[in-house]
Amino acid sequence: MGPHPAVAAIRLAVRRVLHEVLTDHADLLATTSHTTPAAHIPLPADEPPLVLVACSGGADSMALASALAFEAPKLAVRAGAVTVDHGLQTGSDLRAAEVVARLGAMRLDPVESVAVTVGRDGGPEAAARDARYAALDAAAERHRAAAVLLGHTRDDQAETVLLGLARGSGTRSLSGMAAVSGAAGRYRRPFLQLDRQTARKACLVQSIPVWDDPHNTDPAYTRSRLRHEGLPALEKALGKGVVEALARTAQLSRDDADALDGWAADAEPTVRDETGQLACVRLYALPPAVRRRVLRRAVIAAGAPAGSLFARHIEEVDRLITGWRGQGAINLPGRVEARRQGGRLVIRQG
């Protein structure tokens, strides 16, 4: 008799990602083996790649950890884990220690807890996310991990799409979370095609203890309100299948956004004049979706933080091209300003 269907589903999802990691690792070894001695960066070719799981102790990440612990030895992959202590709740250090103990019992190695200080930039949720990813990046570098697995599910993807829709930030926001992201494809999300209930059921049938973060039910947090009020209301009004439809929208939007981003990257050199400045008449000739991407790339290159740059900012810059009436400079995040000057669009930090 095979494993419970929920357990089989999470293991299959992890097995597929591990095969991808092994393929990428082999390609990297082959590439570096052909570099010159001066440029060669030694890689541990004599040992299997290390894959870490980011684990909060919740059902999604504990299910992911259990599947990684089961599948990795069969594929000669080393498996470890990192839990991040955000320090936002009393006793968070004790919770982190308990998670480390549970992960160690799964025979994951290395396993560590990393304490972080959460700032205030962008609000509590964004600040916690920034601190968490900084800690995971540092752990991956420290252990020379080939990948870090994240337990985001299809439900998380649906929530992310709705949050992007509320911000009105365009196709890229609607594309949600990528299955592979980060520097050199560091972050992998095996569960984006699985629902949250499958992960929780997998923990239940395997008697894996899980920790339910009280922040996930705190109405002070936007995502919590969306999860417990917004999505249920949508399903009540529109019927079941909303989560699946939103996740499908994310993939379609990502395909479109990737194509448009590629178009914008190819178009950017063609809209610059002999001095390297953006020529307004050439920008005007581009389709709006491509032009705005070119403008966004230029503003970020000038020093504006990508996370603080919203659609309304780019629309204001775009009006310097499409609705020119002699208006002054546009102030943008990161002390960047954009102004039209002599038929050119000048974007620089002031």
Side-chain angles (χ1 to χ4, degrees):
M1 182 176 178
H4 186 278
V7 176
I10 65 170
R11 288 177 178 176
L12 176 60
V14 168
R15 190 183 317 141
R16 286 171 173 164
V17 169
L18 292 182
H19 278 295
E20 293 171 2
V21 171
L22 284 170
T23 299
D24 293 346
H25 184 71
D27 291 344
L28 181 59
L29 289 176
T31 299
T32 55
S33 68
H34 290 90
T35 58
T36 61
H40 179 63
I41 301 173
L43 288 172
D46 57 339
E47 63 181 5
L50 170 66
V51 174
L52 299 174
V53 57
C55 186
S56 67
D60 302 341
S61 59
M62 288 301 290
L64 182 57
S66 71
L68 177 63
F70 182 83
E71 294 293 337
K74 298 194 294 183
L75 296 174
V77 172
R78 293 181 296 139
V82 179
T83 187
V84 178
D85 175 11
H86 297 85
L88 297 176
Q89 300 164 0
T90 302
S92 64
D93 55 337
L94 298 178
R95 187 274 309 165
E98 290 176 0
V99 173
V100 166
R102 291 171 186 168
L103 295 170
M106 293 180 181
R107 298 188 178 180
L108 296 172
D109 182 41
V111 175
E112 66 176 17
S113 170
V114 181
V116 299
T117 299
V118 177
R120 297 183 178 181
D121 290 348
E125 293 168 282
R129 183 176 60 249
D130 290 345
R132 179 168 59 254
Y133 276 101
L136 293 175
D137 280 334
E141 294 290 342
R142 186 165 57 253
H143 294 292
R144 303 190 69 183
V148 178
L149 305 188
L150 304 175
H152 296 122
T153 64
R154 186 170 62 193
D155 300 80
D156 296 307
Q157 184 73 298
E159 294 162 8
T160 302
V161 172
L162 283 177
L163 289 170
L165 181 62
R167 286 193 298 266
S169 299
T171 309
R172 181 54 69 187
S173 282
L174 295 182
S175 65
M177 296 174 287
V180 180
S181 65
R186 168 174 291 160
Y187 294 107
R188 312 287 176 122
R189 296 177 174 86
F191 290 175
L192 284 184
Q193 302 301 319
L194 300 177
D195 60 28
R196 189 175 289 137
Q197 192 58 38
T198 297
R200 185 168 287 277
K201 185 66 174 179
C203 289
L204 180 64
V205 299
Q206 295 178 100
S207 300
I208 298 173
V210 299
W211 175 71
D212 290 316
D213 187 346
H215 283 174
N216 289 337
T217 56
D218 187 344
Y221 294 94
T222 305
R223 188 177 284 268
S224 175
R225 294 195 302 273
L226 180 60
R227 180 174 301 177
H228 298 287
E229 299 173 24
L231 269 173
L234 281 175
E235 289 195 332
K236 183 178 180 180
L238 302 175
K240 295 294 184 181
V242 170
V243 168
E244 293 86 345
L246 288 168
R248 189 162 58 249
T249 296
Q251 185 56 59
L252 294 171
S253 297
R254 180 166 297 280
D255 291 343
D256 290 348
D258 287 346
L260 288 168
D261 285 348
W263 188 350
D266 292 339
E268 185 173 357
T270 71
V271 297
R272 294 187 181 274
D273 61 19
E274 62 279 358
T275 68
Q277 297 289 341
L278 291 166
C280 293
V281 66
R282 298 179 187 177
L283 283 166
Y284 187 86
L286 292 175
V290 178
R291 181 175 60 246
R292 288 172 185 155
R293 280 169 166 77
V294 171
L295 295 177
R296 179 179 173 83
R297 288 166 59 93
V299 171
I300 292 173
S308 301
L309 198 60
F310 301 126
R312 67 177 185 273
H313 295 126
I314 302 305
E315 287 169 3
E316 288 297 317
V317 178
D318 195 40
R319 288 193 187 97
L320 296 176
I321 308 299
T322 62
W324 174 242
R325 293 182 179 85
Q327 58 264 47
I330 306 297
N331 293 317
L332 300 163
R335 296 184 299 107
V336 172
E337 68 170 29
R339 68 168 64 243
R340 180 162 174 157
Q341 203 168 54
R344 298 187 180 101
L345 186 65
V346 180
I347 303 174
R348 63 189 175 197
Q349 274 188 320

